[in-house]
């Protein structure tokens, strides 16, 4: 276990380093010229000299590796400088936008659990039935929905036609209900398919067969035995979505006028703000890797026999 | 239990006409044993699974009758299963290593079965589990109860499954090739456990392709081939003087493998 944690901690640091180098380099090499963007904000006809002056004043004239190392040192100190997109300290921006994203993603994942768990269990209890067919069809439709379109439909239905919610986000939990649902629909549609297949695989296993021979009902076998054994792939998927949704929620944040980290990240990419992009990328990667680690640990607790087989294999 | 009566039992795949079991009939009384013997694919396991109600309705077509003390088992409603299976009728499956939930300890799985079928309190159930494990030949009862299935050998789990049948006081034990994965010593010990079960008054329906195991158990044998009955009679008499060519071939093959085992020694 000690070796496992050490190995995972090392992987964690390597992934963060790799992500930061890639994001910093890609924006630095292929993004627009940030000095020009800043200079033209105040003067659309900025001259070459004026742009160069901005470049020198912001330290953008230094080579990319030197800028990266300076940013890395700042990250260790907890001060990565000022964003050229918002002109505010990047950590202050992150502190403002990250909680919005976390609330949105947290509530989306709550929708995912609330919908996919009972629906998948029902499908596995009566596979091949009318409800099962309807769910399978519905999950394909749900997976195919573009989230921005679904977001607009939800706004039209529940904020315009029937004004239960507001177009601009209301303060508190209510403001997150519609956007989190829109964000969760393709996710729980995918979850239902994976979870249902995993449950049915377990229900077709030898131990489920023998449990029926012991007199246990299908419902009991499903909830007491198959459910736990079917969880590992779903837990892994769930944890992967945690990181993915923080950055991938930008579209929904835009539709519902929420200021989250996804929207901020898109703005920073457009402004070629490599330090802010790299900072956001490292934060998202940290959440992603931590969530995966937690998922692996949860799976080890759920199915310790599988972990033992892995370590022997 | 007075008797298990199987009449004209047929099993076929829904999308294919060829029967996997074709009009098989037999009866089995309390304290008796009946052996279904034949090569792989002859319909032995299908017969067991049909009687146990374990064949998926969407895939298999089952016809005929299998009655336990006059009560029909085929097509039994879900709500009535718990009163019969696991309580009156115990099943010992072919592959012991995959028969139990890998995530749950053996003690808990045995307790779950007893809790479902008896009115015993927790302490009584625990005592009975330990007693039946001892009776099945497992001495380290605490370790066995706290182990998950992957922590024990195939032979030990096989005995756990027999202990499960003992613990519920099953009147009919259906064993699907319980000795296949075992060495000769364990095979004999396992067969002897079934002999003891029978001596206690349980009926034993024993599936095997191994004449040696069948002879050790004794009782009536039904030799099967491609879903149909080839020959029937007392197992020792059939072994001594088989009538049909197929049975003779099985006896020869069994005698040869026995000879090979002696030669190996």
């Amino acid at each position: 276990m000690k070796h496992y944690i050490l190995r995972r901690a090392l992987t964690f640091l390597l992934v963060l380093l790799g992500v930061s180098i890639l994001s910093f380099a890609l924006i630095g090499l292929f993004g627009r010229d940030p000095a020009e963007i800043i200079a033209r904000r105040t003067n659309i006809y900025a001259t070459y000299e004026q742009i160069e002056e901005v470049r020198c004043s912001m330290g953008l004239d230094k080579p990319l590796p030197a800028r990266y190392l300076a940013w890395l040192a700042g990250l260790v100190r907890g001060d990565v400088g000022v964003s050229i997109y918002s002109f505010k300290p990047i950590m202050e921006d992150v502190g403002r936008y990250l909680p919005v994203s976390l609330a949105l993603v947290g509530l989306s994942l709550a929708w995912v659990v609330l919908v996919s768990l009972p629906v998948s269990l029902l499908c596995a209890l009566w596979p091949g039935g009318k409800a099962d067919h309807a769910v399978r069809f519905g999950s394909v439709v749900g997976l195919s929905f573009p989230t921005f379109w679904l977001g607009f439909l939800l706004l039209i239905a529940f904020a315009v036609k029937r004004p239960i919610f507001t177009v601009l986000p209301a303060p508190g939990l209510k403001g997150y209900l519609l956007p989190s649902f829109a964000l969760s629909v393709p996710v729980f549609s995918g979850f239902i398919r994976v979870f249902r297949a995993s449950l049915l695989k377990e229900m077709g296993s030898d131990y489920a067969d023998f449990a029926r021979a012991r007199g246990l009902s299908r419902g009991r076998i499903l909830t007491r035995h198959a459910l736990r054994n079917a969880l590992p792939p779903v837990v892994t998927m769930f944890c992967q979505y945690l990181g993915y949704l923080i950055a991938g929620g930008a579209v929904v944040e835009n539709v519902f006028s929420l200021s989250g980290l996804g929207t901020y990240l898109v703005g920073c990419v457009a402004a070629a703000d490599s330090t802010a992009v790299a900072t956001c990328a490292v934060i998202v990667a940290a959440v992603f890797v931590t969530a995966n680690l937690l998922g692996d640990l949860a799976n080890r607790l759920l199915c310790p026999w599988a972990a033992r087989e892995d370590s022997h294999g | 239990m007075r008797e298990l009566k199987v009449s004209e039992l047929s099993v076929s795949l829904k999308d294919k006409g060829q029967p996997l079991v074709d009009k098989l009939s037999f009866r089995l009384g309390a304290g008796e044993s009946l052996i279904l013997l034949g090569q792989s694919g002859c319909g032995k396991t299908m017969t067991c699974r049909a009687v146990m109600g374990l064949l998926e309705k969407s895939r298999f077509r089952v016809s005929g009758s299998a009655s336990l003390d006059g009560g029909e088992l085929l097509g039994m409603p879900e709500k009535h299963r718990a009163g019969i299976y696991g309580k009156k009728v115990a099943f010992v499956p072919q592959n012991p290593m995959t028969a139990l939930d890998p995530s749950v300890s053996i003690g808990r799985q045995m307790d779950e079965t007893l809790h479902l079928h008896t009115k015993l309190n927790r302490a009584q159930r625990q005592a009975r589990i330990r007693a039946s494990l001892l009776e099945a030949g497992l001495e380290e009862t605490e370790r066995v109860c706290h182990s998950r299935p992957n922590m024990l050998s195939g032979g030990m789990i096989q005995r756990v499954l027999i202990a499960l049948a003992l613990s519920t006081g099953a009147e009919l034990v259906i064993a699907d090739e319980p000795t296949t994965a075992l060495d000769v010593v364990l095979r004999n010990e396992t067969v002897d456990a079934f002999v003891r079960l029978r001596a206690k008054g349980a009926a034993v329906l024993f599936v095997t392709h191994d004449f040696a195991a069948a002879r050790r158990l004794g009782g009536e044998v039904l030799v099967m081939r491609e879903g149909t009955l080839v020959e029937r009679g007392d197992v020792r008499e059939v072994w001594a003087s088989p009538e049909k060519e197929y049975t003779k071939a099985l006896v020869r093959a069994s005698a040869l493998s026995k000879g090979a085992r002696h030669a190996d020694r």
Side-chain angles (χ1 to χ4, degrees), chain B residues 86-158:
Chain B
K87 187 179 182 182
K88 280 186 170 182
V89 182
F91 184 55
V92 179
Q94 197 165 12
N95 189 351
M97 290 307 289
T98 55
L100 294 168
D101 184 345
S103 303
V104 181
S105 72
I106 282 165
R108 271 186 61 194
Q109 294 191 64
M110 291 185 78
D111 186 64
E112 180 184 38
T113 314
L114 276 184
H115 186 59
L116 183 70
H117 297 300
T118 65
K119 288 179 179 169
L120 301 175
N121 64 33
R122 190 175 156 73
Q124 289 169 324
R125 291 199 303 270
Q126 293 302 315
R128 189 184 278 191
I129 286 168
R130 276 144 186 84
S132 54
L133 284 171
L134 278 172
E135 201 178 340
L138 290 164
E139 289 178 0
E140 294 174 278
T141 54
E142 285 307 314
R143 184 173 82 85
V144 171
C145 281
H146 291 108
S147 298
R148 283 189 303 273
N150 70 324
M151 296 172 174
L152 300 181
S153 69
M156 287 176 92
I157 298 182
Q158 191 68 273

Side-chain angles (χ1 to χ4, degrees), chain A residues 189-235:
Chain A
S189 300
F191 260 76
I192 287 168
R193 296 188 75 80
V194 172
F195 203 4
R196 176 190 171 278
S198 187
L199 282 168
L200 284 178
K201 181 175 160 269
E202 293 302 323
M203 288 298 281
S205 64
D206 284 356
Y207 73 79
D209 230 25
F210 184 60
R212 274 186 62 69
R214 287 192 283 138
L216 271 66
S217 65
R218 270 188 74 85
R220 192 180 169 93
I221 298 167
L222 188 67
T223 51
R224 299 292 175 93
H225 297 282
L227 178 60
R228 179 175 171 170
N229 293 320
L231 276 175
V234 186
V235 168

Side-chain angles (χ1 to χ4, degrees), chain A:
Chain A
M1 194 67 181
K2 202 188 280 179
H3 281 112
Y4 173 77
I5 292 171
L6 205 70
R7 202 176 67 224
R8 294 302 299 250
L10 197 68
T11 314
F12 181 83
L13 289 174
L14 283 174
V15 167
L16 293 193
L17 202 66
V19 165
S20 66
I21 291 172
L22 269 178
S23 52
F24 205 93
L26 286 174
I27 296 294
L29 292 172
F30 304 112
R32 291 165 62 198
D33 181 5
E36 190 184 340
I37 294 170
I38 296 162
R40 292 201 193 285
R41 269 194 202 160
T42 46
N43 177 12
I44 190 84
Y45 302 109
T47 61
Y48 175 78
E49 287 74 23
Q50 285 170 322
I51 292 169
E52 285 306 307
E53 196 184 321
V54 169
R55 197 185 308 283
C56 287
S57 68
M58 297 205 71
L60 295 170
D61 55 335
K62 290 174 189 160
L64 201 60
R67 275 159 53 201
Y68 173 75
L69 288 175
W71 168 81
L72 199 61
L75 190 69
V76 175
R77 287 196 311 271
D79 177 17
V80 285
V82 174
S83 165
I84 54 174
Y85 164 64
S86 67
F87 293 106
K88 286 177 186 158
I90 293 170
M91 291 315 256
E92 197 182 301
D93 283 344
V94 169
R96 188 163 58 249
Y97 297 126
L98 186 62
V100 175
S101 288
L102 288 177
L104 181 64
V105 171
L107 211 57
S108 296
L109 291 176
W111 279 115
V112 169
V113 174
L114 280 174
V115 176
S116 61
L117 184 69
V119 170
S120 307
L121 281 171
L122 283 176
C123 288
L125 198 56
W126 294 292
K130 280 179 187 168
D132 185 33
H133 283 302
V135 167
R136 284 160 71 188
F137 177 74
S139 65
V140 174
V141 174
L143 270 171
S144 321
F145 266 138
T147 44
F148 72 91
W149 184 60
L150 184 65
F152 284 128
L153 282 184
L154 287 171
L155 278 178
I156 292 167
F158 298 108
V160 178
K161 296 256 167 118
R162 281 190 177 274
I164 303 166
F165 299 95
T166 51
V167 175
L168 289 173
L173 186 70
K174 198 178 174 186
Y176 289 100
L177 284 178
L178 279 189
S180 60
F181 185 76
L183 191 59
S184 70
V185 168
V187 183
F188 69 61
S189 300
F191 260 76
I192 287 168
R193 296 188 75 80
V194 172
F195 203 4
R196 176 190 171 278
S198 187
L199 282 168
L200 284 178
K201 181 175 160 269
E202 293 302 323
M203 288 298 281
S205 64
D206 284 356
Y207 73 79
D209 230 25
F210 184 60
R212 274 186 62 69
R214 287 192 283 138
L216 271 66
S217 65
R218 270 188 74 85
R220 192 180 169 93
I221 298 167
L222 188 67
T223 51
R224 299 292 175 93
H225 297 282
L227 178 60
R228 179 175 171 170
N229 293 320
L231 276 175
V234 186
V235 168
T236 304
M237 195 171 159
F238 187 87
C239 293
Q240 282 174 352
Y241 266 106
L242 191 66
Y244 167 76
L245 287 178
I246 289 177
V251 174
V252 171
E253 286 172 10
N254 264 304
V255 170
F256 289 92
S257 312
L258 286 167
S259 301
L261 198 69
T263 312
Y264 178 67
L265 185 57
V266 170
C268 292
V269 169
D273 187 347
S274 51
T275 49
V277 169
T279 307
C280 291
V282 164
I283 289 167
V284 172
V287 172
F288 189 85
V289 179
T290 309
N292 271 292
L293 177 65
L294 290 175
D296 280 0
L297 289 173
N299 283 343
R300 277 174 174 252
L301 286 174
L302 282 168
C303 295
W305 53 274
R308 178 184 272 239
E309 279 169 12
D310 283 351
S311 61
H312 283 263

Side-chain angles (χ1 to χ4, degrees), chain B residues 183-243:
Chain B
D183 60 44
V184 182
V185 177
L186 274 177
R187 183 195 70 188
N188 289 345
E189 282 178 14
T190 305
V191 174
D192 291 347
F194 285 101
V195 173
R196 286 196 297 276
L197 269 170
R198 188 183 57 195
K200 288 176 77 177
V204 177
L205 177 60
F206 193 87
V207 167
T208 186
H209 60 262
D210 180 6
F211 244 120
R215 280 166 57 218
R216 193 173 180 92
L217 179 66
E220 188 183 8
V221 65
L222 269 64
V223 181
M224 291 177 72
R225 185 186 190 188
E226 291 174 3
T228 56
L229 181 66
V230 174
E231 190 170 346
R232 71 193 307 166
D234 180 85
V235 64
R236 287 172 186 125
E237 286 172 18
V238 170
W239 166 265
S241 51
E243 285 179 10

